[in-house]
Amino acid sequence: MGLIQAVKGAVGGVLADQWKDFYTVPAGLPATAALFAAVPQGTNAGRGSNTSGSSNIISNGSKIVVPEGYGLLLFQDGAITGFVAEPGGYEWRSDDLNSQSIFAGDGIVTPLIKQSWERFKFGGQPGGQQAAFFVSLKELPDNRFGTQSEIYWDDGFLNTQVGAVTRGSYTLKIVDPILFVKNFVPASYLQPGKVFDFTDLDNAAASQLFNEVVGSLAPAFSLYTNDPSKGNRITKLQQDSLGFAQSLSAAVEQGYQWKSDRGLAIVKTAIASIEYDANTRELLKTVQRADALSGGRGNSNLQASVAQGIQSAGENGGAAGLVGVGMATGMFGAGAMQQPVAPAAPAADDPVAKLQKAKEMLDLGLITQDDYNALKAKALGL
């Protein structure tokens, strides 16, 4: 008994024509709605021919349409008795007293008498209850996070502790609807007309998730920037929505067991802004400067600096100044100039040593032939 599949696959207008009355998703739901009761649709203001149906009761023979992107949870007296994740049309069949209906061909006298007795004992409500709730299986957007003050984490790339104020949003997905309802959704939302929405400011359960995400941001940043398989830099966070979502989801799972206890998972993130503290901003400037001076670009910058130094030395200190520049060049080594390291400079007052040094600089391409001739003339007093 229970649900019987009547139409398989996607649901379209043909089914609506065949079934004049059925339960389905309410109209006008926000994109962030996660859980809500099924509502009747069709003739007679949504009640069809079953004008005596009780609120929250799925009468025997009722039709239920499950659209794409939703799952259907069935409840009996508050307990989950069925779940459907495949879109299509279904019929509800049960031998339970409170699911029988005279409009479904179950007889007249016995059901009415027994229901009347049960309703009397239960204050006018049936002694048993069948209810149908839809749960969204889509990504639920616009779940926001943000920090009012700096959070700090150990950054693998910068090799120190860094801090920032950050804000953004993430998409959430219910990956296990049964866990989600059993372990997380408050009972007040398992009522007709109630909508469990993660973005609802009055939803205390959703506010708890917000606080847990904020508490997981620092571990998530640390996981992201310390992942040796990715070599991720802090500056890539805003471009890697999936990568950081994985780190944030892992941090939330480690700290609060969202997936294993609540059936929830973070799918994507969008970081709107990261405002680093003063120390981190200064450190990032240093790293950027080091990046700019690395490799071939650094070699070009260094050669330009040496050439400028030679020009200044020629103007102010003659060959002695050039010797100093040569010593500075040697200090940078072969890695910086990608050239052999020059030997240590001889004494500054030895003309032969000056000419030897000038010749070495000419051979290295640091000075021109005219520069060398001028230095040679000056060293020899010509």
Side-chain angles (χ1 to χ4, degrees):
M1 307 306 281
L3 283 176
I4 300 173
Q5 191 173 61
V7 179
K8 186 176 181 180
V11 180
V14 175
L15 184 59
D17 294 336
Q18 293 175 346
W19 287 357
K20 299 302 181 182
D21 268 316
F22 55 89
Y23 286 84
T24 189
V25 174
L29 282 172
T32 50
L35 181 76
F36 38 86
V39 296
Q41 293 187 6
T43 60
N44 194 23
R47 300 312 302 254
S49 59
N50 186 1
T51 58
S52 300
S54 301
S55 176
N56 292 343
I57 294 298
I58 305 176
S59 300
N60 199 18
S62 294
K63 277 61 168 190
I64 303 177
V65 175
V66 181
E68 291 278 4
Y70 294 96
L72 175 68
L73 284 166
L74 296 179
F75 292 79
Q76 168 73 41
D77 296 331
I80 296 175
T81 57
F83 174 68
V84 173
E86 183 179 349
Y90 298 84
E91 289 190 27
W92 171 250
R93 296 287 180 182
S94 175
D95 289 331
D96 185 83
L97 169 67
N98 294 289
S99 69
Q100 295 179 355
S101 168
I102 60 172
F103 300 104
D106 298 313
I108 298 176
V109 177
T110 300
L112 287 176
I113 291 176
K114 290 184 177 181
Q115 281 199 18
S116 297
W117 174 246
E118 293 297 322
R119 291 186 183 190
F120 176 79
K121 291 198 307 181
F122 287 90
Q125 293 296 321
Q129 182 185 75
Q130 294 82 31
F133 282 82
F134 285 103
V135 59
S136 177
L137 302 180
K138 306 175 183 181
E139 286 187 39
L140 300 171
D142 204 32
N143 300 280
R144 300 179 183 275
F145 62 83
T147 59
Q148 295 182 345
S149 58
E150 289 87 355
I151 56 172
Y152 292 90
W153 68 92
D154 294 327
D155 191 275
F157 175 69
L158 297 178
N159 198 31
T160 188
Q161 188 181 73
V162 299
V165 175
T166 183
R167 62 183 178 87
S169 62
Y170 60 92
T171 63
L172 192 63
K173 192 168 187 179
I174 301 171
V175 294
D176 190 328
I178 295 177
L179 274 181
F180 172 65
V181 172
K182 279 183 170 291
N183 295 345
F184 189 68
V185 177
S188 60
Y189 284 94
L190 300 177
Q191 301 291 335
K194 287 284 190 178
V195 176
F196 186 97
D197 190 333
F198 288 108
T199 64
D200 185 358
L201 297 178
D202 296 327
N203 187 340
S207 298
Q208 177 65 28
L209 295 181
F210 170 84
N211 294 331
E212 291 176 0
V213 168
V214 171
S216 302
L217 285 175
F221 283 137
S222 183
L223 284 172
Y224 186 89
T225 59
N226 286 278
D227 188 345
S229 66
K230 297 180 181 178
N232 290 323
R233 295 192 180 195
I234 189 175
T235 50
K236 290 184 179 179
L237 283 170
Q238 290 170 283
Q239 292 82 38
D240 189 8
S241 61
L242 290 176
F244 181 66
Q246 293 172 355
S247 298
L248 183 57
S249 184
V252 167
E253 179 65 18
Q254 184 176 359
Y256 303 100
Q257 292 78 52
W258 275 24
K259 190 172 185 179
S260 56
D261 285 355
R262 300 169 178 172
L264 298 172
I266 293 174
V267 182
K268 297 183 181 71
T269 59
I271 298 180
S273 68
I274 300 179
E275 300 175 7
Y276 302 110
D277 64 8
N279 292 335
T280 304
R281 288 197 300 269
E282 190 62 31
L283 185 59
L284 284 172
K285 289 180 182 179
T286 303
V287 171
Q288 290 170 349
R289 189 179 301 115
D291 287 346
L293 294 176
S294 63
R297 182 183 297 178
N299 185 39
S300 300
N301 290 338
L302 182 58
Q303 290 190 25
S305 298
V306 170
Q308 180 64 36
I310 293 172
Q311 181 179 354
S312 299
E315 294 174 354
N316 301 321
L322 289 173
V323 172
V325 173
M327 292 178 64
T329 306
M331 289 173 63
F332 281 100
M337 290 294 296
Q338 300 177 353
Q339 295 287 352
V341 178
D349 57 351
D350 185 351
V352 176
K354 293 179 181 179
L355 289 175
Q356 182 179 358
K357 189 62 183 178
K359 184 62 168 64
E360 290 174 355
M361 296 178 71
L362 175 64
D363 294 339
L364 289 173
L366 298 176
I367 61 175
T368 65
Q369 184 64 46
D370 292 340
D371 292 333
Y372 174 75
N373 293 337
L375 291 171
K376 177 180 178 181
K378 190 169 185 178
L380 297 178
L382 301 178

